[in-house]
Amino acid sequence: MNLEHQLASDDIRSALRALKPPLQSLADVCRILQRLPGYTGVYIYALEGDTLVLKAFHGRPTEHTRIPAGKGICGASVQARASMIVADVASDSRYLACNIETRSEIVVPILRGEAYLAQIDVDSDDTGAFGADDEAFLAEVAARLAPLF
């Protein structure tokens, strides 16, 4: 884990210890993550039935407040029950355009055992912004968030 991820992880740990209402805690985590370099927009969606519902975000607003499972990169993560890293959203036909500035995206599931509860979705204005280190870091954050769902 790089230093920026470690500092954000420490801030998230502190924010979650504050025992705020779940939606406030999710908003705090989005705010902390969005401070990381290249993390232009951070969104947390909960899976409700077969629809992802936006619960918190920080960064650019999105019109995609409800996404059917299977639609877009976020919906593909639900179907695959796995993380998705897209280095260039312009080359991926599944991408649901939120902002014309977005160039790459990572989606990491929030799981409890095999149950897909929610996801962390991060957009970047930089092509190829996300890699295995971001995926590992966000998976750690996702594990901390699972009790909120």
Side-chain angles (χ1 to χ4, degrees):
M1 185 179 305
N2 68 38
L3 179 60
E4 290 164 329
H5 287 166
Q6 184 59 54
L7 293 172
S9 183
D10 293 345
D11 288 347
I12 289 168
R13 189 176 299 113
S14 294
L16 293 176
R17 272 194 223 122
L19 300 176
K20 296 178 182 175
L23 290 179
Q24 181 60 52
S25 293
L26 295 175
D28 289 346
V29 170
C30 288
R31 180 183 44 76
I32 292 164
L33 290 174
Q34 199 264 335
R35 295 189 315 225
L36 290 167
Y39 284 45
T40 306
V42 178
Y43 312 88
I44 296 178
Y45 289 91
L47 185 61
E48 296 180 2
D50 61 355
T51 302
L52 291 163
V53 178
L54 183 65
K55 295 297 181 181
F57 77 94
H58 199 78
R60 290 192 188 114
T62 179
E63 64 188 50
H64 299 114
T65 59
R66 300 178 66 80
I67 303 171
K71 187 171 180 184
I73 307 301
C74 292
S77 171
V78 174
Q79 284 192 320
R81 305 186 100 52
S83 296
M84 299 281 163
I85 299 176
V86 179
D88 180 6
V89 297
S91 68
D92 194 313
S93 62
R94 300 171 299 179
Y95 178 65
L96 296 175
C98 294
N99 301 288
I100 60 171
E101 298 90 355
T102 299
R103 298 289 177 257
S104 58
E105 181 174 13
I106 184 171
V107 179
V108 175
I110 299 172
L111 306 168
R112 183 178 301 122
E114 295 297 312
Y116 196 108
L117 306 174
Q119 63 184 220
I120 302 169
D121 174 30
V122 184
D123 292 347
S124 179
D125 289 353
D126 303 319
T127 302
F130 307 111
D133 57 333
D134 296 286
E135 183 178 6
F137 165 66
L138 291 171
E140 177 187 301
V141 173
R144 286 196 193 138
L145 294 179
L148 299 178
F149 293 92

